[in-house]
Amino acid sequence: MSAGAENDALVSRTRYPIPLALGMCCYVLAAVAGMFLLADDVGLVLLVPLWIVHGVILVVLIEKLGATESSLYAALFIVVTSAMSVYVMGVARSDLVLQQRGHEVKATVVKEWLDPAQGRKGRHSHYVLERQDGTRVSGSEMETTSDLYDVGQVLTVLEDPKGELRPQTPGQADATGDALGAGALALAALGSVGWMTWRGSDAAKRRDDGKPSSGARKAYKVVTRNHTTVQEQEQKLREALRTYPADRRGYIKVPPEHYPDISQQRAARIAWEMGLRAEAVGNRGSWRFGETVVEEVPHE
């Protein structure tokens, strides 16, 4: 690919970031809704490939935002939070159904047991319930995440007349927390889209002026506690150009975020003083230096 064509490709990825980001948000919400509707009709054998395809599509879309270095991790985060949101929505739906069609009954705990110990996995408690007339409460045994009740204890529970849902106490069947949790997970997935949009925009600015934005520089310094001066960063860059090995194409790759106060033009000047040239195209998030380049970065 020629230098001009590669530059055109880089620019096209971030030409319309806001409409693309909005479209991605709609797509993520549609995927969550679709998986939620399919969850009861299809098994994991089909759902897992669908989530994988969803992740691949997200990688492609995120790369179009310009955030190529983090696209895989961002896509994985969105898929995981979306899947968790679908699961929590399913729990909330079961609670809502039990609230709507269930009826309260007085029941006695006649048997209890814990799940077998499996490493550090939490052990749920299970309770067999009987009505006051001695008949068993419809549905499977009641389940809690901790040991709350004892044999002989009388409880008020919601019973599913169809026997499809586990009995629960009215407090356990409150779906408010689950609904809020599902919404928070979906918002986290959408927030990742927004973060990748910002990353892509910042990468575009770096390509335009060869220097990280002030926001990126501040964020990097806070996260890494890098408080080095410009002179110290220039010395560090010279040391990297002397010691870093070249790749199979003869380029020395340097992460620009390690030198937040140095522009690419200044880095090109430092490299020129050491007998190297700075590559202007195809860097994909890194600065590349070599004895020969396709297109040289103009140095200060």
Side-chain angles (χ1 to χ4, degrees), residues 7-237:
N7 278 331
D8 291 341
L10 290 172
V11 171
S12 67
R13 288 176 180 169
T14 55
R15 184 173 297 168
Y16 306 108
I18 301 303
L20 178 57
L22 292 176
M24 286 183 61
C25 289
C26 294
Y27 167 70
V28 170
L29 291 177
V32 170
M35 293 295 187
F36 174 69
L37 294 175
L38 288 174
D40 290 339
D41 298 329
V42 300
L44 287 177
V45 176
L46 181 59
L47 283 178
V48 170
L50 287 176
W51 281 117
I52 293 174
V53 172
H54 176 50
V56 172
I57 294 173
L58 286 172
V59 169
V60 174
L61 293 175
I62 292 171
E63 286 186 349
K64 288 184 177 296
L65 289 172
T68 56
E69 299 86 1
S70 307
S71 59
L72 180 60
Y73 299 105
L76 181 61
F77 177 81
I78 293 173
V79 168
V80 170
T81 52
S82 298
M84 292 173 62
S85 178
V86 170
Y87 172 77
V88 177
M89 286 168 63
V91 175
R93 179 174 61 181
S94 298
D95 291 342
L96 288 173
V97 171
L98 184 60
Q99 286 180 338
Q100 291 174 357
R101 76 184 185 199
H103 56 267
E104 291 188 0
V105 297
K106 291 287 187 179
T108 304
V109 179
V110 296
K111 184 179 180 182
E112 67 169 321
W113 70 91
L114 286 172
D115 287 333
Q118 296 182 2
R120 296 183 178 180
K121 182 180 178 181
R123 303 175 66 184
H124 289 190
S125 296
H126 302 264
Y127 307 92
V128 176
L129 304 176
E130 287 185 357
R131 301 185 189 86
Q132 299 299 305
D133 59 6
T135 59
R136 182 168 173 172
V137 174
S138 301
S140 57
E141 71 279 355
M142 186 172 71
E143 181 180 354
T144 61
T145 56
S146 57
D147 188 7
L148 300 177
Y149 310 110
D150 298 314
V151 173
Q153 190 169 350
V154 178
L155 308 173
T156 299
V157 297
L158 289 172
E159 179 187 28
D160 179 15
K162 295 183 178 181
E164 298 174 355
L165 302 174
R166 295 178 183 272
Q168 296 187 73
T169 63
Q172 289 176 315
D174 185 2
T176 303
D178 293 330
L180 291 175
L185 290 167
L187 285 176
L190 298 181
S192 182
V193 174
W195 172 251
M196 288 300 101
T197 304
W198 179 86
R199 287 288 303 273
S201 176
D202 184 69
K205 291 179 180 178
R206 291 202 306 268
R207 289 194 295 269
D208 290 340
D209 58 20
K211 186 175 182 180
S213 67
S214 60
R217 295 199 305 271
K218 291 178 181 179
Y220 177 81
K221 287 185 175 183
V222 170
V223 172
T224 63
R225 299 180 181 178
N226 181 355
H227 302 295
T228 56
T229 64
V230 175
Q231 292 75 18
E232 290 171 333
Q233 292 175 28
E234 290 185 356
Q235 183 60 35
K236 182 180 177 181
L237 177 59

Side-chain angles (χ1 to χ4, degrees), residues 237-249:
L237 177 59
R238 289 187 174 91
E239 183 66 22
L241 293 175
R242 280 195 299 266
T243 59
Y244 279 20
D247 62 15
R248 59 184 180 84
R249 299 179 61 187

